[in-house]
Each structure stands twice: as structure tokens, then as C-alpha cells.
């Protein structure tokens, strides 16, 4: 290949792409596509009149009238009011999605607890609770406690059962089976609870890595909103990453995409092994490593004036409080943040060299605590190491990102089932 990046000598140029001849959709498929289009518009815009549906979808008035009647008969939309005090009659009716047509369950599994939420079809959380558990908790009892808590939440929301359950958990999830891939390091009660949830009648369970769900939350509600390609770099007790390329979450052949803690990087004094990530990026940016770095700079948690952005997350790693303190400490705090940013940039640069995502979001408790002060420093170090322009943004969804991502994943699955094809 020549240096101008043209075609190699003697190699023919690629043929022009052939455009497929459009096919006319069958009447049933066309109706399903139109229904989904209208439902998506109602979800994004809220209640609308038939005229507003016509304008927003570009469909004809008779087509809109037919789909409104069809969606009402299916129990998916209903009249929720009128558009104005001066208007009366059919043209003034406001149609909205029947949010309680189905209920969703979302679960965030941590080492010492399971946070469970029940939401409606629009992803609005209606009830939530935390169920404590520990390493010595009997798995059968933990599973029973989790199911009982979910049933209580469903009762409070007026639902008999969840349409879909989405679970976020640490560890590898096999993309082929949707189950934990290996159980080393995974609390036994995690698998027991997931199994028990799967036994609920007519409620499919979606098991997903927690960092992947956090990326979904940041893309829909947070720092990556509007981007279809980005990497979420998770900085918490440990390290991880989620990769979204061209609008799709990428999991890899074994579900291991984003296991950045195992990434070999300079400065650790060793190399990771298949049995542990000590010596990898985890040894530079995991909570214990950040705490060690803070000690070198004399950073202590607490005692800062003016507070810190956001509220501490329950069960947060010790590094979070130290980074929060550093953001407001000045002097040694600024020097510590710069040293931490240099470490984080090593992992970010490796990811960017391979994926060129254009945007890195610093998530997890530590990433959120650092806010813009840390993100700007990481961006500076990254710009000096990589020729690829990459924005670095602080995560904004916070410690509830995993639970929010689980709600969104369950909502998408339920809507795909109830709303029909997306087109």
C-alpha cells in the first residue's frame, strides 16, 4: 500500500456499492411499522392529538385514524385529556401511552446487597428497595429474600408480575447463553437470585454486565447522550470499560470486552495473569491504587470546604471520598488529580488506539467524583499520547447508573415485544 493510502499497485479498486431495490412492505408489516413510529413519537413527546401524530409521523389522516383505533384496542394508548380549553371533540383528544400496560423489574447486584426497582412501560420507577446480603449469606435464602422483595414492590405498583427483568452484575456474562461465564469471584447468591428470578412465570430475565448497563444509562440520560460511538471507562472498586460502536453495545466473543483491568500498562511493576489483574491497569486505577496515590500527596477524605459535586454513593470505594476532597483542596489536590489523570490516560490511550471511539466517559464512583476537573486533565494527557482526537467527559448519571441502565434495558425489551418491529 502506498503512503497516500490509495489502492495497492496492481490491485483493482473496489466496485461501487450496489443499492438494493426497495421492496414494498406487506400491509401487516406496514401497519406494525406505523404503529411503532407513532408509539415512539408518543414516548418522546408525551401525549399528542391525532393531528400532531399526523404531523410528527408524516402519515396520512386515515392511516393515523386507523392506527389510533388499533393501538387503543390493544390497550397500548388511551385518551388522556384534551389539547385546549377552547377545543372540543375528536380532534382535540390527547392520546398517550398506557404506561401501566406492563411493569418492569430492574436489579443491581452488589457484593453486599441487591437493589431492586419496579418501573412502568415508560421506564418511570414506581417502587424501589435494597435487600442486604453478604459473602456468608445462604444463597437459597438470599434468592428467596430477593424474590419476596420484588413481589412486594410489584404489589405496591399494582402489578401482578413483571413483563421483563433486567439484572446488572459484576463478572462476565456469556453473550451466547445470557448466563454467568464462570463463577470465580461471583458471590454464590448472585447466581441463585438470577436463577430464582428466571423461574418467575412469563418474565424473561436479561443478565448484563454492570458496566455495560451503566453505559446504556450514560448514552440515554447522561454524558454520552447523542453519541453512537463511545467508551465508558469505569473507575470504582475495580476498573472496567463498556464499548458502544455505531449505536451497538459490543460484548465480544466471550462477553469479555472491556476487561480493562487486565490491560498491561507501564508503571505497575508487573504483568497481569489469567488468574488476576494485579499488575494490569487495575493496579494503577483501582480504588486501592488511588488510595495509595492519595497518601503520597497527603490527600485525606473529609474536612474540605464547599462540599463536593453530588452526593456520596452508598457502598462507594474509599477512593471516591479522596478524589472528592482533592477536587476542592487546591495545591496538593491539583497535583494528585494530575498524577491520577496521567494513570487513567494510559488505559484510555490503549483503548483509543484500538477503537478510536472519539469520546471517553469517566464513569464509576471515582470517575464521577473527579468531575470535569479530572476529565479535563485526562483529556490533556491523552492528547499528548495519541494523535486521535478524543473527548473526555465526566459521567453524570452517578452511582445509580447500573440500576438506571437495567430499567432502560428492560424497557427496550418490553417495548420491542409489545410495540412490534422498529422498522
Amino acid at each position: 500500500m502506498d503512503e497516500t493510502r490509495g489502492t495497492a499497485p496492481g490491485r483493482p479498486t473496489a466496485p461501487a456499492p450496489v443499492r438494493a431495490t426497495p421492496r414494498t412492505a406487506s400491509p401487516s408489516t406496514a401497519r406494525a411499522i406505523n404503529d411503532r413510529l407513532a408509539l415512539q413519537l408518543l414516548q418522546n413527546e408525551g401525549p399528542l392529538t391525532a393531528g400532531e401524530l399526523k404531523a410528527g409521523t408524516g402519515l396520512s389522516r386515515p392511516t393515523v385514524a386507523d392506527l389510533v383505533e388499533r393501538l387503543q384496542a390493544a390497550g397500548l394508548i388511551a385518551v388522556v385529556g384534551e389539547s385546549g380549553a377552547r377545543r372540543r371533540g375528536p380532534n382535540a383528544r390527547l392520546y398517550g401511552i398506557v404506561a401501566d400496560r406492563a411493569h418492569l423489574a430492574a436489579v443491581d447486584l452488589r457484593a453486599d446487597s441487591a437493589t431492586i426497582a419496579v418501573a412502568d412501560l415508560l421506564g418511570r420507577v414506581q417502587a424501589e428497595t435494597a435487600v442486604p446480603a453478604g459473602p456468608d449469606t445462604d444463597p437459597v435464602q438470599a434468592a428467596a429474600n430477593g424474590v419476596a422483595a420484588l413481589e412486594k414492590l410489584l404489589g405496591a405498583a399494582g402489578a401482578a408480575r413483571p413483563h421483563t427483568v433486567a439484572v446488572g452484575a459484576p463478572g462476565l456474562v456469556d453473550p451466547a447463553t445470557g448466563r454467568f461465564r464462570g463463577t470465580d469471584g461471583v458471590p454464590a447468591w448472585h447466581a441463585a437470585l438470577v436463577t430464582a428470578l428466571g423461574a418467575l412465570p412469563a418474565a424473561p430475565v436479561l443478565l448484563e454486565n454492570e458496566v455495560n448497563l451503566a453505559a446504556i444509562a450514560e448514552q440515554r440520560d447522561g454524558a454520552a447522550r447523542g453519541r453512537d460511538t463511545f467508551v465508558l471507562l469505569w473507575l470504582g472498586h475495580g476498573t472496567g470499560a463498556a464499548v458502544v460502536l455505531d449505536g451497538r453495545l459490543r460484548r465480544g466473543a466471550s462477553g469479555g470486552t472491556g476487561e480493562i483491568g487486565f490491560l498491561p500498562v507501564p508503571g505497575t511493576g508487573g504483568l497481569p495473569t489469567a488468574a488476576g489483574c494485579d499488575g494490569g491497569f487495575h493496579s494503577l486505577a483501582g480504588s486501592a491504587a488511588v488510595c495509595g496515590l492519595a497518601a503520597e500527596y497527603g490527600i485525606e477524605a473529609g474536612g474540605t470546604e464547599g462540599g463536593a459535586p453530588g452526593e456520596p454513593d452508598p457502598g462507594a470505594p474509599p477512593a471516591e471520598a479522596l478524589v472528592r476532597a482533592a477536587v476542592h483542596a487546591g495545591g496538593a489536590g491539583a497535583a494528585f488529580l494530575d498524577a491520577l489523570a496521567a494513570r487513567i490516560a494510559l488505559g484510555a490511550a490503549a483503548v483509543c488506539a484500538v477503537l478510536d471511539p472519539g469520546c471517553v466517559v469517566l464513569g464509576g464512583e471515582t470517575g464521577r467524583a473527579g468531575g470535569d476537573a479530572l476529565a479535563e486533565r485526562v483529556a490533556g494527557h491523552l492528547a499528548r499520547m495519541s494523535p486521535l482526537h478524543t473527548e473526555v467527559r465526566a459521567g453524570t448519571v452517578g452511582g445509580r447508573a447500573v440500576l438506571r441502565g437495567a430499567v432502560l434495558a428492560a424497557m427496550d425489551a418490553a417495548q420491542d415485544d409489545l410495540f412490534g418491529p422498529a422498522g
Side-chain angles (χ1 to χ4, degrees):
M1 188 76 69
D2 64 25
E3 294 182 355
T4 62
R5 298 185 135 184
T7 57
R11 183 176 299 172
T13 58
V18 178
R19 298 186 181 276
T21 302
R23 297 181 179 179
T24 302
S26 68
S28 61
T29 300
R31 286 193 294 269
I33 292 173
N34 291 341
D35 290 354
R36 182 63 180 256
L37 184 62
L39 288 164
Q40 287 177 330
L41 187 62
L42 288 170
Q43 177 170 325
N44 294 335
E45 303 294 333
L48 299 171
T49 65
E52 290 168 335
L53 281 171
K54 174 182 178 298
T57 62
L59 300 173
S60 67
R61 190 176 300 277
T63 299
V64 168
D66 287 343
L67 72 82
V68 165
E69 182 178 353
R70 190 164 53 248
L71 294 175
Q72 282 185 290
L76 290 172
I77 69 171
V79 176
V80 296
E82 293 189 343
S83 63
R86 295 183 180 180
R87 298 181 63 187
R88 292 292 184 268
N91 291 336
R93 292 172 183 164
L94 283 169
Y95 298 94
I97 292 175
V98 180
D100 61 0
R101 173 69 170 76
H103 287 81
L104 322 167
V107 183
D108 177 7
L109 294 180
R110 302 292 178 101
D112 57 358
S113 66
T115 302
I116 305 174
V118 168
D120 63 20
L121 188 55
L122 293 178
R124 298 177 301 202
V125 173
Q126 298 180 317
E128 180 182 322
T129 191
V131 181
D136 298 326
T137 302
D138 176 63
V140 175
Q141 186 60 54
N145 292 344
V147 171
L150 174 57
E151 290 175 343
K152 185 175 181 180
L153 293 178
L154 289 168
R161 65 175 182 85
H163 180 282
T164 306
V165 181
V167 181
L172 294 177
V173 177
D174 190 325
T177 65
R179 299 176 180 176
F180 285 113
R181 180 176 176 267
T183 57
D184 293 344
V186 176
W189 67 267
H190 281 194
L193 178 54
V194 171
T195 299
L197 293 171
L200 295 175
V205 175
L206 311 175
L207 178 62
E208 184 62 86
N209 175 267
E210 59 180 354
V211 180
N212 286 344
L213 290 180
I216 292 173
E218 289 289 357
Q219 184 182 36
R220 301 277 278 276
D221 296 342
R225 192 166 186 172
R227 292 201 63 97
D228 64 357
T229 296
F230 71 98
V231 167
L232 172 73
L233 193 61
W234 184 268
L235 304 168
H237 288 284
T239 59
V243 176
V244 177
L245 301 177
D246 300 323
R248 292 183 57 191
L249 186 66
R250 307 293 176 162
R251 298 173 178 85
S254 62
T257 295
E259 288 295 318
I260 197 173
F262 288 87
L263 182 73
V265 290
T268 65
L271 290 172
T273 68
C277 54
D278 290 343
F281 182 64
H282 171 82
S283 294
L284 286 185
S287 180
V290 175
C291 289
L293 182 65
E296 294 178 18
Y297 285 85
I299 304 300
E300 297 181 356
T304 61
E305 296 182 0
E311 295 296 329
D313 298 314
E320 181 193 41
L322 294 167
V323 172
R324 286 182 185 277
V327 168
H328 290 264
F336 160 72
L337 289 174
D338 193 61
L340 176 59
R343 291 185 173 193
I344 295 171
L346 288 174
V351 170
C352 292
V354 175
L355 300 177
D356 188 18
C359 178
V360 171
V361 176
L362 303 184
E365 298 91 348
T366 303
R368 177 190 176 222
D372 292 339
L374 181 60
E376 290 169 3
R377 286 172 166 83
V378 173
H381 285 285
L382 186 57
R384 289 188 286 275
M385 283 190 285
S386 172
L388 306 175
H389 175 70
T390 306
E391 289 185 71
V392 181
R393 303 177 181 178
T396 59
V397 179
R400 299 177 59 80
V402 176
L403 189 67
R404 179 57 182 162
V407 169
L408 291 169
M411 182 186 76
D412 289 345
Q415 289 186 1
D416 284 344
D417 178 46
L418 296 172
F419 290 0

